[in-house]
Amino acid sequence: IDIKNIRNFSIIAHIDHGKSTLADRLIEKTGSLDKRQMKDQVLDNLEVERRHGITVKAQAVRMEYLYDGVLYELNMIDTPGHADFTYEVSKSLSACEGALLVVDATQGVEAQTVANLYLALENNLEIIPVINKIDLPTADIEKTKSEIENLGLDASGAILISAKNDIGTDKVLEAIIKYIPPPKINNEETLKALIIDSWYDNYKGVVCLVRVFEGEIKIHDRIMIFSNKKEYNVESISVLTPKPKEIETLHAGEVGILISNIKNIDDVLVGDTITLASNPAKAALKGFKKIKPFVYAGIYPTDTEKYDDLKEGLEKLKLNDSSLEFEPEKSDSLGFGFRCGFLGMLHMNITKERLEEEFGLDIVVTNPSVLYKVEKTDGSIIEISNPKDLPEPQFIRSILEPYVSIDVITPSEYIGSVLNLLQEKRGYQKNLSYLSANRCLITYSAPLSETITNFYDTLKSITRGYASFNYEFEGYKPSDLVKMIILINNEPIDSFSQIVHKDKAYAQAREVLAKLKEFVPRQLFEIRLQAKVGGKIIAKEEIKALRKDVLAKCYGGDITRKRKLLEKQKEGKKKLKQLGKVAISKEAFMKLLEPT
Ligand code: GDP
Ligand code: MG
C-alpha cells in the first residue's frame, strides 16, 4: 500500500469515556470482523490481552477502509492510560501521527484526559477532539467544548458522536483520513523500528509490537537491538486485523508484531530501537530509557516454608514484566522474603493479586516506601527504600525524596477541601485554573510518599467521587526526613520502622501505637509500646497484662485433652508472627501493616 494512504492513530480518553466502544465501532465499520465475530470490546478481549492481563500494555489493530475510491490502511494503537505506565503510553503515542481525544459529554474533561492530551502534544500528534455519549439527556456539548478549549485545543470542529448508538462514527473515520498526516519516511535509511511493547508468550517466546520508522523488516532478516547489540532472526511477522494474520514484510510507517526467538523481555525493552545486524542504523530513535521502580515493598510468605514458591512466582511474573524488580530480604518479624520494586501502587496491587490468585500464595506485603537518595557526610550518595538501611543520623548530610506533579480536576465547590488535603500531603500549589464555571484544574507538587497511601481514597471521599487525578514524576528534592522506630518491650520491630517527615513523626507515631494497642492481644506480661526518633522516645502506650487466673482453667483435666490442646497450639503457632516476645495472628499482623 502507498505510504500516503497509511494512518497511525491512537484513541486517548479518561476511563469510561468510551474508548473501547469507539474502537469496536471502527473495527465494525471497516469490516475487519463480520457481524458474527463481532463481540463487545474486541480490543480488550484480544486473546493475548486476556492471557497476560495488564502486562500487555499496548496492542495494535490494522484495518482497511475504502474512502472516496481509495483504500487506506488504518493502524489503531491502543494503550491503557494509567498513571503508573506513563512512559509506555508515551512510547505508544510516539508510534502514531495522530490521536482521537474522546471526552464524555456528560462528564467533561477529566484528569486522564489532560494527562493523555499533554503526552500526545509532547509527541507532536495531530489531535482530533471527539465528544461522545451525545445520546444521553445529561450530555452538555457546549460545556464540554469549552472545557477542551480551556486546555488550549481548538474544539470548534469537535466530532459529536454516540459510540454506543453508532452516531457520527463515519465522521471519525473521515477525520482520521483527512486530518491525520501519513507517516513521514526517508527511503534512503536503513531499518529503524521502535519497540512499542514486548511480552512473553508461553508458546512463542518473547513477542514485540513494533513501529517501523525507516527501512523495512522482512521475515528471516537478522535484526539487532540497538542498546545491547543482541542479534536475532525474524521468524514471523504478523498483524492483528484483529484476527492474527501472518505477513512477509513490515514497511516504513507500519505497525506489526515480531517473533524472533527472543528469550528474555529485558533484552527488548519498550522504547528501544530495532535495526538490521548487517547494516545497523547510526543512531537510535530518541527517548529510550530503562524505567526504574518508584515504589518498594517487602513481600513475605505467611508460611515461612513457602519461600521457594514465592520466589518461583516472582520469577514467572518477571518473565513478562520487565519493570518488576525483586531481591531477597530478611526481616526479624517476617523471616525470609523479597524486597520488590514497582512502577506505582496499581502495579504493586496487581502483582500482589497475581501472586495470590495465579500462584495460590498466601503473602504479607509490608508498608510501601519510595526510593530515597541519601547524601552521606563522606560525600557519597546511596539509594534506599527500606528504613532499616538508613544510616545513623550523624552520617547523613541530607535526604532527598521523589516529588510528583499532581493534577486534580474537581467541581469548584470542593476546591477548599482538595487544597487542604494537598497541603496536608506536604504539597505546594503550582497552578489553579477554571475549565468551566464550576470545574477547575489544580496542579500541585508533592512528595510521592504522601500520595501512595490512601491519597486517592481520601480525594474521592472529600469530593463525593467527583474528582479525578493524575500524577507524573517530577524529580528529587531534599526533605527533613527522619527514621521512626517502633519498639515492643524495648525490642525494635523492623517491619514497623518508617521514614517520615519530621513534622509528621509525632502524629504518625500516635497512629501506629494506637493500632498496635488495638490489635496486639493482651499477654501474661505487660507490653510497653514506644516510638523513637533519633534516640528520643516521642510516644508511648502500654497494654496491661492478663490476670493469671484466666489461665488457671487450663491446668488439670485428663491427659488426652491436654495433648489435643498442645497440638492445636502447635498448629496455630505456625501462622503466628513474632513481634519480639509477643506472638500475634497473621490477620492482626496484616491489619498492623495496612498503611496509616
Ligand atoms: P473506556 O473505559 O474508555 O474504554 O470506556 P468504554 O468504551 O468501556 O465505555 C464505558 C461505558 O460507557 C460502557 O458502559 C459503554 O457502554 C458506555 N458508552 C460508551 N459510549 C457510549 C455512548 O455513546 N453512549 C452511551 N449512552 N454510553 C456509552
Ligand atoms: Mg476500555
Side-chain angles (χ1 to χ4, degrees):
I1 197 151
D2 192 331
I3 182 94
K4 69 176 199 297
N5 298 332
I6 296 178
R7 300 289 181 274
N8 296 313
F9 71 98
S10 201
I11 306 178
I12 55 182
H14 190 77
I15 182 146
D16 282 345
H17 282 204
K19 179 169 93 164
S20 303
T21 310
L22 176 59
D24 281 356
R25 288 298 87 75
L26 299 183
I27 289 168
E28 205 173 73
K29 289 253 138 112
T30 56
S32 304
L33 285 181
D34 59 39
K35 269 270 170 333
R36 192 173 47 84
Q37 296 164 316
M38 197 71 207
K39 49 180 192 270
D40 276 356
Q41 317 234 317
V42 176
L43 223 44
D44 294 351
N45 285 316
L46 284 175
E47 189 59 29
V48 262
E49 191 140 57
R50 219 181 305 137
R51 241 186 291 140
H52 299 279
I54 194 90
T55 49
V56 175
K57 298 182 201 81
Q59 203 48 272
V61 173
R62 182 187 283 193
M63 300 173 282
E64 289 187 340
Y65 189 59
L66 194 64
Y67 179 77
D68 239 2
V70 182
L71 190 67
Y72 288 86
E73 176 185 310
L74 311 180
N75 293 304
M76 174 164 64
I77 299 167
D78 186 56
T79 62
H82 183 279
D84 282 4
F85 305 112
T86 304
Y87 173 73
E88 278 92 341
V89 175
S90 176
K91 286 292 131 192
S92 316
L93 292 177
S94 76
C96 304
E97 278 73 37
L100 305 173
L101 180 74
V102 175
V103 183
D104 181 336
T106 69
Q107 305 294 316
V109 164
E110 296 282 3
Q112 222 78 55
T113 319
V114 181
N116 285 319
L117 170 65
Y118 290 162
L119 286 178
L121 290 171
E122 277 167 27
N123 283 294
N124 297 318
L125 303 196
E126 180 66 39
I127 292 157
I128 301 172
V130 176
I131 296 176
N132 189 30
K133 307 200 190 181
I134 58 163
D135 59 291
L136 292 174
T138 51
D140 190 338
I141 295 167
E142 285 319 307
K143 185 174 164 218
T144 306
K145 269 191 185 170
S146 84
E147 289 190 356
I148 296 173
E149 301 247 331
N150 278 331
L151 297 177
L153 204 68
D154 178 12
S156 56
I159 305 168
L160 309 180
I161 70 164
S162 163
K164 193 174 169 187
N165 298 347
D166 198 12
I167 298 166
T169 43
D170 283 318
K171 290 222 180 61
V172 174
L173 284 164
E174 188 180 314
I176 291 169
I177 287 164
K178 276 197 177 157
Y179 302 121
I180 296 178
K184 269 200 227 41
I185 56 158
N186 174 354
N187 279 319
E188 309 299 301
E189 290 266 359
T190 184
L191 174 65
K192 269 189 201 177
L194 171 78
I195 302 174
I196 301 173
D197 198 6
S198 59
W199 60 92
Y200 185 83
D201 182 294
N202 283 335
Y203 304 99
K204 301 169 192 155
V206 173
V207 178
C208 299
L209 177 68
V210 303
R211 150 80 198 254
V212 180
F213 277 88
E214 312 285 357
E216 56 182 33
I217 304 181
K218 289 191 298 296
I219 194 158
H220 308 313
D221 272 352
R222 189 144 183 92
I223 53 169
M224 186 181 86
I225 311 303
F226 203 91
S227 72
N228 55 33
K229 310 291 172 226
K230 293 196 178 167
E231 296 182 11
Y232 305 93
N233 284 325
V234 175
E235 284 168 5
S236 89
I237 306 174
S238 57
V239 289
L240 298 172
T241 66
K243 283 173 292 183
K245 180 178 151 198
E246 301 259 333
I247 56 173
E248 297 280 309
T249 312
L250 213 50
H251 301 97
E254 291 184 323
V255 180
I257 291 167
L258 295 188
I259 293 172
S260 315
N261 200 15
I262 299 166
K263 294 282 185 288
N264 189 345
I265 54 161
D266 285 337
D267 294 336
V268 278
L269 294 176
V270 172
D272 210 341
T273 301
I274 294 179
T275 187
L276 288 179
S278 58
N279 179 19
K282 290 195 180 54
L285 295 162
K286 282 201 193 76
F288 171 56
K289 60 179 181 194
K290 168 133 181 55
I291 35 170
K292 277 177 51 175
F294 286 118
V295 175
Y296 290 80
I299 297 187
Y300 292 84
T302 312
D303 179 351
T304 45
E305 277 157 37
K306 296 280 193 233
Y307 173 83
D308 288 325
D309 295 356
L310 175 59
K311 179 162 183 259
E312 198 186 313
L314 285 167
E315 276 163 0
K316 288 219 169 110
L317 290 184
K318 171 87 192 154
L319 271 184
N320 203 5
D321 185 353
S322 55
S323 39
L324 173 67
E325 278 185 9
F326 59 93
E327 57 179 44
E329 172 181 79
K330 188 182 180 304
S331 146
D332 302 338
S333 39
L334 295 160
F336 289 97
F338 295 90
R339 190 84 192 154
C340 303
F342 309 96
L343 294 178
M345 293 304 282
L346 174 77
H347 189 209
M348 176 176 122
N349 289 329
I350 291 165
T351 306
K352 173 175 181 275
E353 273 166 29
R354 293 188 69 184
L355 287 169
E356 288 169 343
E357 282 160 26
E358 291 171 38
F359 299 92
L361 291 162
D362 208 356
I363 54 175
V364 174
V365 180
T366 65
N367 247 326
S369 161
V370 300
L371 190 68
Y372 297 95
K373 289 188 180 177
V374 181
E375 194 192 351
K376 294 179 34 178
T377 43
D378 65 8
S380 61
I381 292 176
I382 55 167
E383 293 187 331
I384 66 148
S385 73
N386 195 333
K388 79 173 183 213
D389 299 327
L390 194 69
E392 290 302 315
Q394 67 268 30
F395 300 116
I396 300 176
R397 187 173 292 157
S398 66
I399 305 177
L400 292 87
E401 63 177 331
Y403 268 68
V404 287
S405 176
I406 305 173
D407 282 336
V408 176
I409 290 184
T410 175
S412 11
E413 60 206 278
Y414 305 115
I415 291 181
S417 344
V418 172
L419 293 182
N420 272 342
L421 172 68
L422 289 163
Q423 211 67 43
E424 213 176 275
K425 297 289 183 185
R426 296 194 279 130
Y428 63 88
Q429 189 177 320
K430 294 206 294 190
N431 198 22
L432 193 159
S433 63
Y434 280 79
L435 291 171
S436 52
N438 52 10
R439 268 158 39 95
C440 68
L441 167 60
I442 303 169
T443 307
Y444 251 68
S445 177
L448 172 63
S449 66
E450 298 280 348
T451 63
I452 58 180
T453 48
N454 68 41
F455 172 73
Y456 187 60
D457 294 341
T458 314
L459 179 69
K460 280 282 173 191
S461 79
I462 62 175
T463 61
R464 295 167 170 255
Y466 283 115
S468 59
F469 103 109
N470 193 71
Y471 68 90
E472 195 183 16
F473 177 69
E474 214 174 39
Y476 274 83
K477 287 181 198 169
S479 285
D480 233 340
L481 300 167
V482 291
K483 175 155 80 173
M484 178 177 82
I485 302 167
I486 302 292
L487 303 103
I488 297 186
N489 283 349
N490 293 325
E491 258 187 88
I493 306 301
D494 61 359
S495 32
F496 294 128
S497 291
Q498 282 179 31
I499 294 175
V500 293
H501 191 268
K502 207 172 101 243
D503 299 343
K504 288 192 156 188
Y506 178 71
Q508 189 68 8
R510 291 250 57 100
E511 249 180 82
V512 176
L513 295 192
K515 238 188 186 179
L516 276 166
K517 193 166 175 175
E518 184 184 348
F519 290 106
V520 172
R522 289 169 73 181
Q523 311 278 321
L524 288 173
F525 45 89
E526 185 188 83
I527 302 174
R528 261 168 302 125
L529 308 171
Q530 296 166 317
K532 249 185 181 175
V533 167
K536 261 208 287 266
I537 291 169
I538 59 165
K540 58 184 176 189
E541 279 285 355
E542 61 174 46
I543 302 173
K544 292 241 159 19
L546 278 173
R547 280 169 43 218
K548 284 258 163 31
D549 56 351
V550 176
L551 263 206
K553 284 187 204 126
C554 298
Y555 297 105
D558 71 285
I559 189 84
T560 47
R561 194 175 143 257
K562 259 194 220 164
R563 192 179 299 136
K564 258 191 203 144
L565 273 173
L566 280 172
E567 269 163 29
K568 217 173 170 182
Q569 209 177 41
K570 220 163 107 195
E571 222 173 275
K573 269 225 175 82
K574 263 206 275 183
K575 296 215 180 70
L576 292 179
K577 294 288 163 202
Q578 204 67 34
L579 296 179
K581 290 195 179 58
V582 181
I584 73 167
S585 70
K586 187 210 165 194
E587 287 67 34
F589 195 77
M590 300 280 268
K591 282 274 181 264
L592 288 171
L593 281 177
E594 270 174 17
T596 43

Short mmCIF file of all heavy atoms in Angstrom, two decimals, residues 358-378:
data_model
loop_
_atom_site.label_atom_id
_atom_site.label_comp_id
_atom_site.label_asym_id
_atom_site.label_seq_id
_atom_site.Cartn_x
_atom_site.Cartn_y
_atom_site.Cartn_z
N GLU A 358 -2.91 -16.49 40.85
CA GLU A 358 -2.33 -17.40 39.87
C GLU A 358 -1.39 -18.41 40.50
O GLU A 358 -1.18 -19.49 39.97
CB GLU A 358 -1.59 -16.61 38.79
CG GLU A 358 -2.53 -15.82 37.91
CD GLU A 358 -1.77 -14.87 36.98
OE1 GLU A 358 -0.71 -15.24 36.48
OE2 GLU A 358 -2.27 -13.74 36.77
N PHE A 359 -0.80 -18.06 41.65
CA PHE A 359 0.16 -18.98 42.26
C PHE A 359 -0.32 -19.51 43.60
O PHE A 359 0.40 -20.23 44.29
CB PHE A 359 1.52 -18.29 42.39
CG PHE A 359 2.10 -17.86 41.05
CD1 PHE A 359 1.86 -16.60 40.55
CD2 PHE A 359 2.83 -18.76 40.29
CE1 PHE A 359 2.36 -16.21 39.31
CE2 PHE A 359 3.34 -18.39 39.05
CZ PHE A 359 3.10 -17.11 38.55
N GLY A 360 -1.52 -19.14 43.99
CA GLY A 360 -2.11 -19.64 45.22
C GLY A 360 -1.29 -19.36 46.47
O GLY A 360 -1.30 -20.14 47.42
N LEU A 361 -0.59 -18.23 46.47
CA LEU A 361 0.28 -17.92 47.61
C LEU A 361 -0.44 -17.08 48.65
O LEU A 361 -1.28 -16.25 48.33
CB LEU A 361 1.52 -17.17 47.12
CG LEU A 361 2.50 -17.98 46.28
CD1 LEU A 361 3.42 -17.06 45.50
CD2 LEU A 361 3.31 -18.92 47.16
N ASP A 362 -0.09 -17.33 49.89
CA ASP A 362 -0.62 -16.56 50.99
C ASP A 362 0.52 -15.63 51.42
O ASP A 362 1.53 -16.09 51.94
CB ASP A 362 -0.95 -17.56 52.12
CG ASP A 362 -2.07 -17.04 52.98
OD1 ASP A 362 -2.53 -15.91 52.74
OD2 ASP A 362 -2.48 -17.78 53.89
N ILE A 363 0.39 -14.33 51.13
CA ILE A 363 1.54 -13.44 51.35
C ILE A 363 1.21 -12.23 52.22
O ILE A 363 0.06 -11.86 52.39
CB ILE A 363 2.11 -12.93 50.00
CG1 ILE A 363 1.01 -12.29 49.16
CG2 ILE A 363 2.82 -14.04 49.26
CD1 ILE A 363 1.52 -11.65 47.87
N VAL A 364 2.25 -11.65 52.75
CA VAL A 364 2.15 -10.41 53.51
C VAL A 364 2.94 -9.35 52.73
O VAL A 364 4.06 -9.60 52.31
CB VAL A 364 2.81 -10.57 54.90
CG1 VAL A 364 2.84 -9.24 55.63
CG2 VAL A 364 2.07 -11.62 55.72
N VAL A 365 2.32 -8.20 52.50
CA VAL A 365 3.02 -7.11 51.83
C VAL A 365 3.25 -5.99 52.85
O VAL A 365 2.30 -5.54 53.49
CB VAL A 365 2.20 -6.56 50.63
CG1 VAL A 365 2.95 -5.43 49.94
CG2 VAL A 365 1.90 -7.67 49.64
N THR A 366 4.48 -5.58 53.03
CA THR A 366 4.76 -4.55 54.04
C THR A 366 4.44 -3.17 53.50
O THR A 366 4.22 -2.99 52.30
CB THR A 366 6.23 -4.58 54.48
OG1 THR A 366 7.05 -4.21 53.37
CG2 THR A 366 6.64 -5.95 54.98
N ASN A 367 4.40 -2.19 54.40
CA ASN A 367 4.14 -0.80 54.04
C ASN A 367 4.98 -0.38 52.84
O ASN A 367 6.19 -0.49 52.87
CB ASN A 367 4.57 0.07 55.22
CG ASN A 367 3.39 0.74 55.85
OD1 ASN A 367 2.43 1.08 55.16
ND2 ASN A 367 3.44 0.90 57.16
N PRO A 368 4.35 0.14 51.78
CA PRO A 368 5.14 0.57 50.63
C PRO A 368 5.98 1.81 50.95
O PRO A 368 5.60 2.61 51.79
CB PRO A 368 4.10 0.89 49.57
CG PRO A 368 2.84 1.13 50.31
CD PRO A 368 2.90 0.32 51.56
N SER A 369 7.11 1.90 50.29
CA SER A 369 8.01 3.03 50.52
C SER A 369 8.54 3.50 49.17
O SER A 369 8.60 2.73 48.22
CB SER A 369 9.15 2.56 51.41
OG SER A 369 10.25 3.42 51.31
N VAL A 370 8.95 4.77 49.11
CA VAL A 370 9.55 5.26 47.87
C VAL A 370 11.05 5.03 47.93
O VAL A 370 11.56 4.53 48.93
CB VAL A 370 9.22 6.75 47.65
CG1 VAL A 370 7.72 6.96 47.57
CG2 VAL A 370 9.82 7.61 48.76
N LEU A 371 11.76 5.41 46.87
CA LEU A 371 13.22 5.27 46.85
C LEU A 371 13.84 6.62 47.26
O LEU A 371 13.66 7.61 46.57
CB LEU A 371 13.67 4.87 45.45
CG LEU A 371 15.14 4.44 45.33
CD1 LEU A 371 15.38 3.13 46.05
CD2 LEU A 371 15.52 4.31 43.86
N TYR A 372 14.54 6.62 48.38
CA TYR A 372 15.18 7.84 48.86
C TYR A 372 16.63 7.89 48.40
O TYR A 372 17.26 6.85 48.22
CB TYR A 372 15.15 7.89 50.39
CG TYR A 372 13.77 7.94 50.97
CD1 TYR A 372 13.11 6.77 51.38
CD2 TYR A 372 13.09 9.15 51.09
CE1 TYR A 372 11.83 6.81 51.89
CE2 TYR A 372 11.80 9.20 51.61
CZ TYR A 372 11.17 8.02 52.01
OH TYR A 372 9.91 8.07 52.51
N LYS A 373 17.14 9.11 48.24
CA LYS A 373 18.56 9.27 47.97
C LYS A 373 19.17 9.91 49.20
O LYS A 373 18.71 10.97 49.64
CB LYS A 373 18.79 10.15 46.74
CG LYS A 373 18.38 9.46 45.46
CD LYS A 373 18.77 10.25 44.23
CE LYS A 373 18.32 9.47 43.00
NZ LYS A 373 18.59 10.19 41.76
N VAL A 374 20.18 9.27 49.75
CA VAL A 374 20.79 9.78 50.96
C VAL A 374 22.20 10.26 50.66
O VAL A 374 23.04 9.49 50.19
CB VAL A 374 20.84 8.69 52.06
CG1 VAL A 374 21.45 9.25 53.34
CG2 VAL A 374 19.45 8.13 52.31
N GLU A 375 22.43 11.54 50.93
CA GLU A 375 23.76 12.10 50.74
C GLU A 375 24.48 11.99 52.08
O GLU A 375 24.04 12.55 53.09
CB GLU A 375 23.66 13.57 50.31
CG GLU A 375 24.96 14.12 49.79
CD GLU A 375 24.90 15.64 49.64
OE1 GLU A 375 23.81 16.23 49.78
OE2 GLU A 375 25.97 16.23 49.41
N LYS A 376 25.58 11.22 52.10
CA LYS A 376 26.27 10.99 53.36
C LYS A 376 27.35 12.04 53.61
O LYS A 376 27.75 12.76 52.69
CB LYS A 376 26.87 9.58 53.37
CG LYS A 376 25.75 8.54 53.38
CD LYS A 376 26.15 7.09 53.37
CE LYS A 376 27.38 6.69 54.08
NZ LYS A 376 27.60 5.24 54.01
N THR A 377 27.77 12.11 54.86
CA THR A 377 28.76 13.13 55.21
C THR A 377 30.08 12.93 54.48
O THR A 377 30.85 13.86 54.29
CB THR A 377 29.00 13.16 56.73
OG1 THR A 377 29.10 11.81 57.18
CG2 THR A 377 27.89 13.85 57.46
N ASP A 378 30.34 11.69 54.03
CA ASP A 378 31.58 11.46 53.27
C ASP A 378 31.42 11.81 51.79
O ASP A 378 32.29 11.56 50.97
CB ASP A 378 32.06 10.02 53.44
CG ASP A 378 31.09 9.00 52.84
OD1 ASP A 378 30.12 9.43 52.17
OD2 ASP A 378 31.29 7.80 53.04
#
